[in-house]
Amino acid sequence: MKAIVYKKYGPPDVLEVTEVESPIHTDNQVLVKVKAASVNYGNMVLLRGEPFLVRFAFGLLKPKYCIPGGDVSGTVEAIGKDVTQFHIGDEVFGDLSVSGWGAYAENVAVPENALALKPANLSFEEAAAVPMAGVTALQGLRDKGKLQPGQKVLINGASGGVGTFAVQIAKSLGAEVTGVCSTRNLDILQSLGADHAIDYTKEKFTENKNTYDLILGVNGHQPLSDYKRSLKPNGIFVHVGGSATQMFQSMTLGAWISKTSSKKMGTFLQRPNQNDLVFMKELLEAGKVKPIIDRQYTLSEVPEAFRYFEQGHAQGKVVIKI
């Protein structure tokens, strides 16, 4: 089969399309014929091996997983004898980030608990845009952020992959949502149902007098002190993306602030969860959430897709058609 393979850490140029042996599924695995995948921040971390600490999990000197790709959608080609949830021909989607990755290929062997049935109203390309970004937004808002109906939520970086899902999920959970984005993305926020939009090229949310019950920092470079001022008493700031400096501050200074004040601040890493994937499926089929796709690339164009993604200006998701 054809697959994207890389044998050393580095820029997108180290990614190559090559012929490899098709995987053989085990007793508890599903063999999926891949129709689409997508690009996430985690893919960039694996590609470059940065920050360096990730190499202790993904290979110190060279990549442990040579075929990247976490998000996947496709059809079930075969099942192991212990598989109970799926049948041959089922259309599925899922997150392989704790299951060996491998979505940038024509076939992949997947543990059944990494998958769910694909939303019936979505194309394979749309479904592949959902798992990592959608579940990150869901867990950040509902679990880490303790979001309740009627609360005021600010999403900084609302027009990217995680941000577009976060706006819609927060609305579906009954929140009043303010999104922060650039001028060219204001129409996207309006289409997603955001109650308010702040154009960061014209206004800094940290300088107005509005405060929020929950702030989701999807993309930003503000110091934690700015976010703290924008929180209500007992408010929560959740860092899910942005600069490395901000992540470090969230882990260190954020922990201190959480212990010494009523405001809680911290970072968050998404964990794949089949129940949450099913929850997202239900939101998607109910029309409460829809994926926003910026660009689509073929398998041979994956290096170009990574270069575009690294620029940080994608409106929604970047998808790979297999």
Side-chain angles (χ1 to χ4, degrees):
M1 68 173 185
K2 291 182 179 178
I4 290 290
V5 174
Y6 74 123
K7 299 179 181 179
K8 61 181 180 180
Y9 294 116
D13 294 343
V14 303
L15 298 167
E16 297 180 350
V17 179
T18 187
E19 291 282 341
V20 299
E21 292 292 328
S22 187
I24 299 174
H25 61 286
T26 61
D27 291 345
N28 68 339
Q29 286 185 325
V30 174
L31 183 66
V32 176
K33 183 175 180 60
V34 182
K35 299 292 187 179
S38 72
V39 183
N40 295 281
Y41 176 73
N43 301 130
M44 307 308 303
V45 170
L46 261 68
L47 173 66
R48 294 188 176 274
E50 298 173 353
F52 188 83
L53 286 176
V54 304
R55 297 194 184 197
F56 289 96
F58 300 123
L60 189 60
L61 300 179
K62 63 181 181 179
K64 180 179 179 181
Y65 305 108
C66 295
I67 302 176
D71 288 336
V72 67
S73 69
T75 58
V76 175
E77 288 282 287
I79 60 174
K81 67 180 183 65
D82 296 333
V83 171
T84 60
Q85 300 181 52
F86 303 103
H87 302 89
I88 294 173
D90 283 348
E91 297 181 347
V92 295
F93 75 138
D95 179 353
L96 313 184
S97 60
V98 295
S99 306
W101 302 79
Y104 297 162
E106 293 179 323
N107 299 292
V108 65
V110 185
E112 65 174 332
N113 62 7
L115 299 171
L117 292 174
K118 180 178 75 66
N121 58 333
L122 263 59
S123 68
F124 286 108
E125 291 77 19
E126 290 171 325
V130 175
M132 293 181 75
V135 172
T136 295
L138 174 65
Q139 293 178 353
L141 291 166
R142 183 196 62 193
D143 303 337
K144 186 72 173 180
K146 311 297 182 185
L147 180 61
Q148 300 296 318
Q151 288 188 328
K152 292 186 177 182
V153 178
L154 178 89
I155 299 168
N156 189 21
S159 60
V162 174
T164 51
F165 283 113
V167 169
Q168 298 173 85
I169 292 170
K171 286 296 297 179
S172 75
L173 296 176
E176 179 181 329
V177 180
T178 299
V180 180
C181 65
S182 64
T183 306
R184 75 186 186 107
N185 294 320
L186 292 174
D187 289 343
I188 290 179
L189 290 198
Q190 184 177 15
S191 72
L192 297 179
D195 299 288
H196 315 284
I198 296 175
D199 181 348
Y200 68 76
T201 68
K202 300 179 180 179
E203 176 188 359
K204 293 183 179 180
F205 76 87
T206 55
E207 295 179 354
N208 62 38
K209 295 182 180 180
N210 294 325
T211 55
Y212 305 90
D213 299 288
L214 170 61
I215 298 177
L216 197 68
V218 182
N219 186 25
H221 307 276
Q222 289 80 10
L224 256 61
S225 57
D226 286 348
Y227 284 114
K228 183 182 178 184
R229 283 197 301 271
S230 297
L231 284 174
K232 292 183 177 181
N234 300 311
I236 300 174
F237 167 74
V238 181
H239 171 274
V240 297
S243 68
T245 299
Q246 190 177 95
M247 177 184 294
F248 181 75
Q249 286 185 342
S250 299
M251 295 172 64
T252 54
L253 180 58
W256 182 81
I257 292 173
S258 298
K259 290 182 179 180
T260 58
S261 76
S262 66
K263 301 176 181 181
K264 306 302 178 185
M265 310 189 78
T267 192
F268 161 77
L269 293 175
Q270 172 259 8
R271 296 293 294 174
N273 181 292
Q274 189 182 52
N275 290 334
D276 288 344
L277 198 60
V278 172
F279 188 88
M280 287 300 304
K281 174 181 181 291
E282 293 169 351
L283 288 179
L284 291 155
E285 290 185 332
K288 295 181 179 179
V289 174
K290 61 181 179 181
I292 303 299
I293 296 177
D294 184 328
R295 296 186 183 185
Q296 299 185 34
Y297 295 84
T298 64
L299 189 63
S300 62
E301 295 172 329
V302 165
E304 182 181 346
F306 273 52
R307 282 189 284 269
Y308 176 69
F309 183 86
E310 276 193 311
Q311 295 173 14
H313 302 303
Q315 297 172 303
K317 292 286 295 179
V318 175
V319 169
I320 309 299
K321 298 178 65 174
I322 309 298

